Amino acid sequence: MASTVTTEPSQDSASPSRPGYGQLLRTRGAWTFLLPGFAARQPFAMLTISIVLLVQHTTGSYGAAGAAAAVTGVSMALFAPYSGRLADRYGQRAVLVPGVLVHTLSGLALTALALAHAPLWALFAAAVPTGASVPQVGPMVRARWGAKLQDSPLMSTAAAFESVTDELTFVFGPLLATALCTTVAPAAGLVTEAALTLAGGLLFAARKSTQPQVTGTGHARVRHTSALGVPGVRVLVVAFLGIGSVFGGMQVSLAAFTESIGEPGLNGVLYGTFAAGNMLSGIVCGALAWKAAPHRRLVVGYTALALTASALWTSHSVLVLAGLGLLVGMCIAPALITGYTLVDGLVPAGARTEAFTWLTGAVALGQAAAVTVAGQLEDRLWGGAGFLVPMAGTVLALVTLLALRSRLVTRPRNRTVARGVGHRVPVTVD
């Protein structure tokens, strides 16, 4: 019979009764990857809107612009999990360095082709490597938190903190991209995105000491299985597809709306308001001590998201649209945070980067589909028809979530280390 010993929490993962941001940010070594991680993920928030504004300018069609952005998003969604698996197996640096180089070159190629009025198929050809090589910095930062905190109660706070960080980039990213594209040059947004990706990605990759232990090297080679084999992860993928439909539908529809009223500069302001709501609710979520189980919180939060997203198509003024966008953003953060928190209980540590990239890829895929459909609706139907996409995406995802919510129930961790059959391979600590 295997004997067990209870592990004591380390200095890195102290577990106060009410964990908060202050305790989280005092985690030893956290700032060494947080600051470069923030710099490296900033360009991602600029990518889709920069492509939409550039291609729409050169072709005059939101449908073409949405399709080009969609190809980028689909490519990212398909390649992101593979990138995460490679990072789990060989280390984040080994994936990041070649990735940022490819992304920079392909992004500049896409820009040059658009300015040369190349045919749409040529833009698609350049969009594929641009999306495939998007650095998965957010999932990598989350994986570093997991390695640092080791199942501490602070993991939920870390998930909230990362959601806030993501949304902070989505406050500034679209504003910066829109300002560059509308006041400097239509290509300025995409060129800046490529340059920032190169600088930020290499800076983050240089912080090698905080990356999680790799699972594909050493004497004790770990048999690696896909995170998508976990039923709960597949449910979360569907939920995150719906969240992606909100992001994509909002980006195209807000751009079309502000163009129709002769105020294209308001696009970044309206999208920034939407992202600000997400960020503010994320701050609150991380500061609260939740008693409800994560899978129940996800159902409640997602229901609120579907209801608010379903009202977007009814708005016909800037103020109403800004208010509804703020509410939708406030409903997205709880769903995102809870989904990422559930990964910690559903997925083994050695596959978490891959799991996070499946969720990030699902958002990108949902966004890509939404950008394509919303662009076609804006071109072919009435102004604002693109807002039907977030409604459809979130409602369908909610139905799936309600039907399969039992797969999200996680088994409680007893925080014990077994000696005997099934023992864990020792993990080095920074």
Side-chain angles (χ1 to χ4, degrees):
M1 179 176 179
S3 61
T4 60
V5 291
T6 303
T7 60
E8 296 296 330
S10 67
Q11 290 180 347
D12 284 355
S13 57
S15 53
S17 58
R18 187 183 177 88
Y21 293 115
Q23 180 70 26
L24 178 73
L25 296 178
R26 287 193 295 272
T27 301
R28 187 173 58 202
W31 286 104
T32 64
F33 64 85
L34 283 182
L35 291 179
F38 178 78
R41 74 177 73 183
Q42 181 65 48
F44 177 62
M46 303 171 61
L47 181 60
T48 300
I49 190 65
S50 294
I51 293 174
V52 168
L53 293 177
L54 173 61
V55 177
Q56 194 279 331
H57 174 80
T58 57
T59 65
S61 168
Y62 280 105
V71 170
T72 306
V74 170
S75 180
M76 179 192 140
L78 294 177
F79 281 89
Y82 183 64
S83 172
R85 182 178 297 187
L86 290 177
D88 282 329
R89 186 172 299 180
Y90 300 112
Q92 296 179 358
R93 179 187 176 92
V95 176
L96 270 173
V97 173
V100 296
L101 294 176
V102 172
H103 183 77
T104 301
L105 293 175
S106 56
L108 293 176
L110 175 59
T111 303
L113 288 169
L115 292 176
H117 299 279
L120 196 56
W121 66 262
L123 299 183
F124 291 168
V128 170
T130 300
S133 57
V134 170
Q136 298 301 310
V137 177
M140 290 181 180
V141 172
R142 287 180 168 91
R144 293 189 187 211
W145 275 124
K148 276 285 183 184
L149 298 177
Q150 298 286 331
D151 300 329
S152 161
L154 283 169
M155 279 301 299
S156 180
T157 307
F161 181 82
E162 287 306 308
S163 179
V164 171
T165 304
D166 282 338
E167 293 316 311
L168 187 60
T169 68
F170 277 96
V171 171
F172 293 113
L175 284 172
L176 176 59
T178 301
L180 289 170
C181 291
T182 57
T183 64
V184 179
L190 200 52
V191 171
T192 303
E193 187 274 338
L196 290 176
T197 296
L198 179 63
L202 293 178
L203 183 63
F204 181 74
R207 311 309 304 177
K208 187 177 179 180
S209 62
T210 56
Q211 71 176 8
Q213 184 190 39
V214 298
T215 61
T217 59
H219 297 292
R221 186 178 180 92
V222 179
R223 184 175 179 270
H224 193 97
T225 57
S226 174
L228 198 61
V230 179
V233 172
R234 296 196 292 269
V235 178
L236 290 176
V237 164
V238 175
F240 277 55
L241 282 169
I243 292 174
S245 74
V246 178
F247 288 123
M250 291 283 281
Q251 285 178 335
V252 170
S253 300
L254 288 177
F257 175 80
T258 54
E259 182 74 24
S260 69
I261 63 173
E263 296 288 347
L266 286 178
N267 178 36
V269 176
L270 287 174
Y271 197 84
T273 301
F274 159 70
N278 198 341
M279 182 181 66
L280 292 173
S281 65
I283 293 173
V284 174
C285 285
L288 295 176
W290 296 98
K291 294 183 179 180
H295 66 282
R296 292 194 177 95
R297 300 204 310 265
L298 181 60
V299 170
V300 173
Y302 215 96
T303 301
L305 173 61
L307 290 174
T308 53
S310 297
L312 284 170
W313 70 277
T314 65
S315 58
H316 299 288
S317 72
V318 172
L319 288 179
V320 173
L321 191 54
L324 284 173
L326 182 68
L327 290 176
V328 172
M330 292 177 67
C331 293
I332 281 182
L336 281 173
I337 292 168
T338 309
Y340 282 122
T341 302
L342 280 165
V343 168
D344 181 55
L346 292 170
V347 181
R352 282 179 189 159
T353 304
E354 182 193 348
F356 288 136
T357 53
W358 273 113
L359 300 188
T360 304
V363 173
L365 186 59
Q367 179 174 316
V371 164
T372 303
V373 176
Q376 294 295 328
L377 292 178
E378 291 290 347
D379 280 347
R380 298 171 184 271
L381 300 180
W382 67 90
F387 287 121
L388 294 173
V389 174
M391 177 181 72
T394 53
V395 169
L396 290 173
L398 176 61
V399 171
T400 303
L401 186 61
L402 290 172
L404 302 176
R405 62 186 181 277
S406 62
R407 299 185 182 184
L408 298 174
V409 179
T410 59
R411 291 178 295 180
R413 298 178 185 272
N414 54 18
R415 297 184 61 78
T416 61
V417 178
R419 287 201 288 249
V421 178
H423 67 280
R424 289 189 176 185
V425 177
V427 178
T428 57
V429 180
D430 291 330

